[in-house]
């Protein structure tokens, strides 16, 4: 398996649920990212990890909690979400944080009911 | 702060040429990128400009003018499969070298 994979591809959850999104990259990259893509809005950077250390947290609410156990895996733990959190959540990776090309996974389509 | 503008939607005919414009304002420009995103799929990298001028890659070309804060993506010999959203993104030194994305331009190619 190559590239960036994300599971699940679709997720429906209630506001009181706890769920996790998973991202895995098979490219040997050192930086990984979480983005949120809402309808009619630009891609929003949420978190950046470089060499497994979090280097960016763009004022994301605490109901989103990232975890990067190693350079190949990235998780986004979700709890007590709101309906406005419904969106496409994209994971990306790059060889290093300052390298110019990011490779995106297919995304998880999240619906909060 | 950062601000990136693109037209929301464009329509063109198969076989034609289309130019998608992007204007930006950043505190520390360090490269401009174009991505293609088909509906329901991941964005895929198309091109990268850091110096002024035109970069050509097959049917796609991208142009940059740093003094004007302006770029365009040129698509030639349009095909139906080019129907997608095209995202302009800028790497900003004032944003930790991270990407700031524009809203995207949804291109529809008609037969």
């Amino acid at each position: 398996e190559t590239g960036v994979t994300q599971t699940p591809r679709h997720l429906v959850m209630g506001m009181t649920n706890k769920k996790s999104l998973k991202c895995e990259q098979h490219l040997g990259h050192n930086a990984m990212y979480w983005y949120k893509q809402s309808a009619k809005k630009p891609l929003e950077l949420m978190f950046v990890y470089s060499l497994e250390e979090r280097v960016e947290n763009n004022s994301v609410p605490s109901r989103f909690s990232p975890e990067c156990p190693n350079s190949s895996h990235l998780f986004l733990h979700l709890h007590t979400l709101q309906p406005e959190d419904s969106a496409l959540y994209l994971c990306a990776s790059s060889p290093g944080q300052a390298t110019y090309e990011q490779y995106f996974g297919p995304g998880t389509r999240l619906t909060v009911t | 702060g950062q601000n990136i503008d693109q037209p929301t939607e464009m329509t063109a005919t198969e076989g034609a040429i289309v130019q998608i414009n992007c204007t930006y304002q950043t505190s520390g420009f360090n490269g401009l990128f174009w991505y293609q995103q088909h509906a329901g799929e991941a964005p895929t990298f198309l091109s990268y400009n850091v110096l002024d001028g035109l970069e050509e890659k097959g049917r796609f070309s991208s142009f940059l003018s740093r003094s004007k804060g302006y770029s365009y993506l040129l698509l030639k010999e349009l095909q139906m499969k080019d129907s997608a959203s095209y995202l302009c993104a800028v790497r900003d030194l004032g944003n930790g070298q991270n990407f700031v994305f524009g809203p995207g331009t949804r291109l529809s190619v008609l037969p």
Side-chain angles (χ1 to χ4, degrees), chain A residues 37 43 90 102 104-105, chain B residues 6 20 33-47 59-60 73 75 78-89 101 104-105 107 109:
Chain A
Q37 189 173 37
L43 269 170
L90 290 161
Q102 292 188 356
F104 285 84
Chain B
Q6 304 176 235
I20 302 174
F33 306 78
W34 285 95
Y35 282 80
Q36 179 191 59
Q37 186 177 23
H38 285 99
E41 297 183 14
T44 55
F45 171 78
L46 286 178
S47 69
R59 293 189 299 114
F60 293 2
L73 180 69
L75 292 76
L78 280 174
Q79 303 175 9
M80 300 296 289
K81 67 178 182 180
D82 297 329
S83 293
S85 287
Y86 291 87
L87 312 179
C88 174
F101 280 85
T105 298
L107 174 66
V109 179

Coordinates of all heavy atoms in Angstrom, one line a residue, chain A residues 37 43 90 102 104-105, chain B residues 6 20 33-47 59-60 73 75 78-89 101 104-105 107 109:
Chain A
Q37 N -11.9 20.8 5.8 CA -12.5 21.4 4.6 C -14.0 21.4 4.7 O -14.6 20.4 4.6 CB -12.0 20.6 3.4 CG -12.4 21.3 2.1 CD -11.8 20.7 0.8 OE1 -11.7 19.4 0.8 NE2 -11.4 21.4 -0.1
L43 N -9.5 25.4 2.7 CA -8.9 24.4 3.6 C -8.3 25.1 4.8 O -7.6 26.1 4.6 CB -7.8 23.7 2.8 CG -8.1 22.4 2.1 CD1 -6.9 22.0 1.2 CD2 -8.4 21.3 3.0
L90 N -9.0 16.2 6.2 CA -7.9 15.7 5.4 C -6.6 15.6 6.1 O -6.3 16.6 6.9 CB -7.7 16.7 4.2 CG -8.9 16.7 3.1 CD1 -8.8 17.9 2.3 CD2 -8.7 15.4 2.2
Q102 N 2.9 18.8 -0.4 CA 2.2 18.0 0.5 C 1.4 16.9 -0.2 O 0.8 17.2 -1.3 CB 1.3 18.8 1.4 CG 2.1 19.8 2.3 CD 1.2 20.5 3.3 OE1 0.0 20.4 3.3 NE2 1.8 21.2 4.2
F104 N -1.8 14.5 0.1 CA -3.1 14.4 0.9 C -3.7 13.0 0.8 O -3.6 12.3 -0.2 CB -4.1 15.4 0.3 CG -3.8 16.8 0.7 CD1 -3.0 17.6 -0.1 CD2 -4.5 17.4 1.8 CE1 -2.7 18.9 0.2 CE2 -4.2 18.7 2.1 CZ -3.4 19.5 1.4
G105 N -4.3 12.6 1.9 CA -5.1 11.4 1.9 C -6.5 11.8 1.4 O -6.8 12.9 1.1
Chain B
Q6 N -9.7 33.8 -5.3 CA -9.9 33.1 -6.6 C -11.3 33.2 -7.0 O -12.2 33.3 -6.1 CB -9.6 31.6 -6.4 CG -8.3 31.2 -5.9 CD -8.2 29.7 -5.7 OE1 -7.9 29.2 -4.6 NE2 -8.4 28.9 -6.8
I20 N -7.1 30.4 -14.7 CA -7.7 30.6 -13.4 C -6.7 31.5 -12.6 O -5.6 31.2 -12.4 CB -7.8 29.2 -12.6 CG1 -8.7 28.3 -13.5 CG2 -8.4 29.5 -11.2 CD1 -8.8 26.9 -12.9
F33 N 1.5 27.5 -4.8 CA 1.2 26.1 -5.2 C -0.2 26.1 -5.8 O -1.1 26.8 -5.3 CB 1.3 25.2 -4.0 CG 2.6 25.3 -3.2 CD1 2.8 26.3 -2.3 CD2 3.5 24.3 -3.4 CE1 4.0 26.4 -1.6 CE2 4.7 24.4 -2.7 CZ 5.0 25.4 -1.8
W34 N -0.4 25.2 -6.7 CA -1.7 24.9 -7.3 C -2.0 23.4 -7.1 O -1.1 22.5 -7.3 CB -1.8 25.2 -8.8 CG -1.9 26.7 -9.1 CD1 -0.9 27.5 -9.4 CD2 -3.1 27.4 -9.1 NE1 -1.4 28.8 -9.6 CE2 -2.7 28.8 -9.4 CE3 -4.4 27.1 -8.9 CZ2 -3.7 29.8 -9.5 CZ3 -5.4 28.2 -9.0 CH2 -5.0 29.5 -9.3
Y35 N -3.2 23.1 -6.6 CA -3.6 21.7 -6.4 C -4.9 21.6 -7.1 O -5.7 22.5 -7.3 CB -3.9 21.5 -4.9 CG -2.7 21.2 -4.1 CD1 -1.9 22.2 -3.6 CD2 -2.3 19.9 -3.7 CE1 -0.7 22.0 -2.8 CE2 -1.2 19.6 -3.0 CZ -0.4 20.7 -2.5 OH 0.7 20.4 -1.8
Q36 N -5.1 20.3 -7.6 CA -6.4 19.9 -8.2 C -7.2 19.0 -7.3 O -6.5 18.1 -6.7 CB -6.1 19.2 -9.5 CG -7.4 18.7 -10.3 CD -7.0 17.8 -11.4 OE1 -6.4 16.7 -11.2 NE2 -7.4 18.2 -12.7
Q37 N -8.5 19.2 -7.1 CA -9.3 18.4 -6.3 C -10.5 18.0 -7.0 O -11.4 18.8 -7.2 CB -9.6 19.0 -4.9 CG -10.3 18.1 -3.9 CD -10.5 18.8 -2.6 OE1 -10.6 20.0 -2.5 NE2 -10.6 18.0 -1.6
H38 N -10.7 16.7 -7.3 CA -11.9 16.2 -7.9 C -12.9 16.0 -6.7 O -12.5 15.7 -5.6 CB -11.7 14.9 -8.7 CG -11.1 15.1 -10.0 ND1 -9.7 14.9 -10.2 CD2 -11.6 15.5 -11.2 CE1 -9.5 15.2 -11.5 NE2 -10.6 15.6 -12.1
A39 N -14.2 16.1 -7.0 CA -15.2 16.0 -6.0 C -15.0 14.7 -5.2 O -14.9 13.6 -5.8 CB -16.6 16.0 -6.6
G40 N -15.0 14.8 -3.9 CA -14.9 13.6 -3.1 C -13.5 13.0 -3.0 O -13.3 11.9 -2.4
E41 N -12.5 13.6 -3.6 CA -11.2 13.1 -3.6 C -10.2 14.0 -2.9 O -10.5 15.1 -2.6 CB -10.7 12.8 -5.0 CG -11.6 11.7 -5.7 CD -11.1 11.4 -7.1 OE1 -9.9 11.8 -7.5 OE2 -11.8 10.8 -7.9
A42 N -8.9 13.5 -2.7 CA -7.9 14.3 -2.1 C -7.3 15.3 -3.1 O -7.3 15.1 -4.3 CB -6.8 13.4 -1.6
P43 N -6.9 16.5 -2.6 CA -6.2 17.4 -3.5 C -4.9 16.7 -4.0 O -4.2 16.0 -3.2 CB -5.9 18.6 -2.6 CG -6.8 18.5 -1.4 CD -7.1 17.0 -1.3
T44 N -4.5 17.0 -5.2 CA -3.3 16.5 -5.7 C -2.4 17.7 -6.3 O -3.0 18.6 -6.9 CB -3.5 15.5 -6.9 OG1 -4.3 16.0 -7.9 CG2 -4.1 14.2 -6.3
F45 N -1.2 17.6 -6.1 CA -0.2 18.7 -6.4 C -0.1 18.8 -7.9 O 0.0 17.9 -8.7 CB 1.1 18.4 -5.8 CG 2.2 19.3 -6.3 CD1 2.4 20.5 -5.7 CD2 3.1 18.9 -7.2 CE1 3.4 21.4 -6.1 CE2 4.2 19.7 -7.7 CZ 4.3 20.9 -7.1
L46 N -0.2 20.1 -8.4 CA -0.1 20.4 -9.8 C 1.2 21.1 -10.1 O 1.9 20.8 -11.0 CB -1.3 21.2 -10.3 CG -2.6 20.6 -10.5 CD1 -3.6 21.6 -10.9 CD2 -2.5 19.4 -11.5
S47 N 1.5 22.2 -9.4 CA 2.6 23.1 -9.7 C 3.1 23.9 -8.6 O 2.3 24.1 -7.6 CB 2.2 24.0 -10.9 OG 1.3 25.0 -10.5
R59 N 0.0 20.0 -20.3 CA -1.1 20.9 -20.6 C -1.3 22.0 -19.6 O -2.1 22.9 -19.8 CB -2.4 20.1 -20.7 CG -2.4 19.1 -21.9 CD -3.8 18.5 -22.0 NE -4.3 17.7 -20.8 CZ -5.3 18.1 -20.1 NH1 -6.0 19.2 -20.3 NH2 -5.6 17.4 -19.0
F60 N -0.6 21.9 -18.4 CA -0.8 22.9 -17.4 C 0.4 23.8 -17.3 O 1.5 23.3 -17.3 CB -1.0 22.2 -16.0 CG -2.3 21.4 -15.9 CD1 -3.2 21.3 -17.0 CD2 -2.7 20.8 -14.8 CE1 -4.4 20.6 -16.9 CE2 -3.8 20.0 -14.7 CZ -4.7 19.9 -15.7
L73 N -3.2 29.8 -13.2 CA -3.0 28.5 -13.7 C -3.7 28.4 -15.1 O -4.8 28.8 -15.2 CB -3.7 27.5 -12.8 CG -3.6 26.0 -13.2 CD1 -2.2 25.5 -13.0 CD2 -4.5 25.2 -12.3
L75 N -4.8 26.1 -18.2 CA -5.1 24.7 -18.7 C -5.4 24.8 -20.2 O -6.3 25.5 -20.6 CB -6.3 24.2 -17.9 CG -6.1 23.9 -16.4 CD1 -6.2 25.1 -15.6 CD2 -7.2 22.9 -16.0
L78 N -8.5 21.5 -23.0 CA -9.3 21.0 -21.9 C -9.9 19.7 -22.2 O -10.4 19.5 -23.3 CB -10.4 22.1 -21.5 CG -9.9 23.2 -20.7 CD1 -11.0 24.2 -20.5 CD2 -9.4 22.7 -19.3
Q79 N -10.0 18.9 -21.2 CA -10.6 17.6 -21.3 C -11.7 17.5 -20.2 O -11.7 18.2 -19.2 CB -9.6 16.4 -21.1 CG -8.5 16.5 -22.1 CD -7.4 15.4 -21.8 OE1 -7.6 14.5 -21.0 NE2 -6.3 15.5 -22.6
M80 N -12.7 16.6 -20.4 CA -13.8 16.5 -19.5 C -13.3 16.2 -18.1 O -13.8 16.7 -17.1 CB -14.8 15.4 -19.9 CG -15.4 15.7 -21.3 SD -16.4 17.2 -21.3 CE -17.8 16.6 -20.3
K81 N -12.2 15.4 -18.0 CA -11.6 15.0 -16.7 C -11.0 16.2 -15.9 O -10.6 16.0 -14.8 CB -10.6 13.9 -16.9 CG -9.3 14.3 -17.6 CD -8.3 13.2 -17.7 CE -7.0 13.7 -18.4 NZ -6.1 12.6 -18.5
D82 N -10.8 17.3 -16.6 CA -10.3 18.5 -15.9 C -11.3 19.2 -15.1 O -11.0 20.1 -14.4 CB -9.7 19.5 -17.0 CG -8.5 18.9 -17.7 OD1 -7.8 18.1 -17.2 OD2 -8.4 19.3 -18.9
S83 N -12.6 18.8 -15.2 CA -13.6 19.3 -14.3 C -13.3 19.0 -12.9 O -13.2 17.8 -12.5 CB -15.0 18.7 -14.7 OG -15.4 19.2 -15.9
A84 N -13.0 20.0 -12.1 CA -12.5 19.8 -10.7 C -12.4 21.2 -10.0 O -12.6 22.2 -10.7 CB -11.1 19.1 -10.7
S85 N -12.1 21.2 -8.7 CA -11.7 22.4 -8.1 C -10.2 22.6 -8.1 O -9.5 21.6 -8.0 CB -12.2 22.4 -6.6 OG -13.6 22.5 -6.5
Y86 N -9.8 23.8 -8.3 CA -8.4 24.2 -8.4 C -8.1 25.1 -7.2 O -8.7 26.2 -7.1 CB -8.0 24.8 -9.7 CG -8.2 23.7 -10.8 CD1 -9.4 23.5 -11.4 CD2 -7.1 22.9 -11.2 CE1 -9.5 22.5 -12.4 CE2 -7.2 21.9 -12.1 CZ -8.4 21.7 -12.7 OH -8.5 20.7 -13.6
L87 N -7.2 24.6 -6.4 CA -6.8 25.4 -5.1 C -5.5 26.1 -5.3 O -4.5 25.4 -5.6 CB -6.8 24.4 -4.0 CG -7.9 23.4 -3.8 CD1 -7.7 22.5 -2.6 CD2 -9.2 24.1 -3.6
C88 N -5.5 27.3 -5.0 CA -4.3 28.1 -4.9 C -3.8 28.2 -3.4 O -4.7 28.4 -2.6 CB -4.6 29.5 -5.4 SG -3.3 30.7 -5.3
A89 N -2.6 27.9 -3.2 CA -2.1 28.0 -1.8 C -0.8 28.7 -1.7 O 0.1 28.5 -2.7 CB -2.0 26.5 -1.3
F101 N -4.5 28.3 2.1 CA -5.2 27.9 0.9 C -6.3 29.0 0.6 O -6.9 29.6 1.5 CB -6.0 26.6 1.1 CG -5.0 25.4 0.9 CD1 -4.3 24.9 2.0 CD2 -4.9 24.8 -0.3 CE1 -3.4 23.8 1.8 CE2 -4.1 23.7 -0.5 CZ -3.4 23.2 0.6
G104 N -10.6 28.1 -3.6 CA -10.7 27.2 -4.7 C -11.7 27.7 -5.8 O -12.6 28.4 -5.5
T105 N -11.4 27.3 -7.0 CA -12.2 27.6 -8.2 C -12.7 26.3 -8.7 O -12.0 25.4 -9.1 CB -11.3 28.3 -9.3 OG1 -10.8 29.5 -8.7 CG2 -12.2 28.6 -10.5
L107 N -14.1 24.4 -11.6 CA -14.1 24.4 -13.1 C -15.0 23.3 -13.7 O -14.8 22.2 -13.3 CB -12.7 24.3 -13.6 CG -12.6 24.2 -15.2 CD1 -13.0 25.5 -15.8 CD2 -11.1 23.8 -15.6
V109 N -16.0 21.7 -17.2 CA -15.7 21.6 -18.7 C -16.9 20.9 -19.4 O -17.3 19.8 -19.0 CB -14.4 20.7 -18.9 CG1 -14.1 20.6 -20.4 CG2 -13.3 21.3 -18.1

